[in-house]
Amino acid sequence: PGLGASIGENAHALGLGKIALSLLDEPRLERYVAHGLRRFTAQTIVSGNRLRAELDDIREGRVASDREEFAPDFCCLATPVRDARGRAIAALGMSMSARSFELERRYLSGQLLEVARSAAQTLTTPAVPAISEEPAVLERAARPDLRSHQSAVHPSSN
């Protein structure tokens, strides 16, 4: 719930939204907070100071979370995927029920961080060069000594 093509007035109430907010510079974050932090549930953070404290924790490496801040029985964990220079290049999130959040948050946070590390490595490792589609590369070898030889083994010759 709450996620679409863009993050709007609900960013402060969603794990992935908090990742996006943690990446804003101070003037943009101030503009978001100044608009007012809409309450979606009793758990929604509506204090700018409390939100900033959470965003600071996220910037320091803590997994972002929302615990029924957007909708009842809807919780999320999220983390950025960072390149070698520390820049966020993607974000990962997982949704779960409040019960799963309560019982498995610590384990799932660790798994999410591990997936983010693996994704970062995959996304920042130079790609293997594609096989050339140049006709000269795909043509048969011009020199007979470079061709593979098949031995003529016949099963009946044993």
Side-chain angles (χ1 to χ4, degrees):
L3 289 177
S6 63
I7 296 175
E9 67 172 6
N10 56 5
H12 64 285
L14 297 166
L16 284 168
K18 291 175 185 178
I19 295 297
L21 291 174
S22 75
L23 301 172
L24 294 178
D25 59 22
E26 187 54 38
R28 289 188 176 125
L29 179 58
E30 181 53 41
R31 216 173 18 248
Y32 181 88
V33 172
H35 242 178
L37 301 177
R38 181 175 163 200
R39 182 177 299 281
F40 295 95
T41 71
Q43 282 70 35
T44 305
I45 294 173
V46 293
S47 159
N49 289 335
R50 185 167 163 218
L51 177 63
R52 280 187 175 82
E54 271 202 43
L55 299 178
D56 286 343
D57 289 344
I58 294 165
R59 289 182 195 110
E60 291 175 11
R62 195 186 104 222
V63 171
S65 67
D66 72 80
R67 183 175 183 177
E68 299 184 281
E69 293 174 46
F70 184 74
D73 201 33
F74 176 77
C75 301
C76 182
L77 297 171
T79 192
V81 175
R82 297 191 181 277
D83 66 11
R85 293 190 289 178
R87 294 177 308 165
I89 55 174
L92 298 173
M94 64 173 65
S95 301
M96 66 205 70
S97 68
R99 180 166 169 74
S100 291
F101 186 88
E102 182 68 32
L103 297 175
E104 301 176 282
R105 176 184 183 177
R106 186 180 206 155
Y107 172 76
L108 292 174
S109 292
Q111 293 299 301
L112 187 62
L113 289 171
E114 184 58 37
V115 170
R117 278 190 285 277
S118 179
Q121 187 174 24
T122 299
L123 292 172
T124 59
T125 301
V128 175
I131 295 173
S132 175
E133 294 182 18
E134 291 294 318
V137 173
L138 299 176
E139 290 176 6
R140 291 184 179 257
R143 294 175 39 196
D145 61 319
L146 294 179
R147 291 191 185 153
S148 64
H149 297 281
Q150 294 180 346
S151 58
V153 175
H154 299 284
S156 60
S157 63
N158 287 342

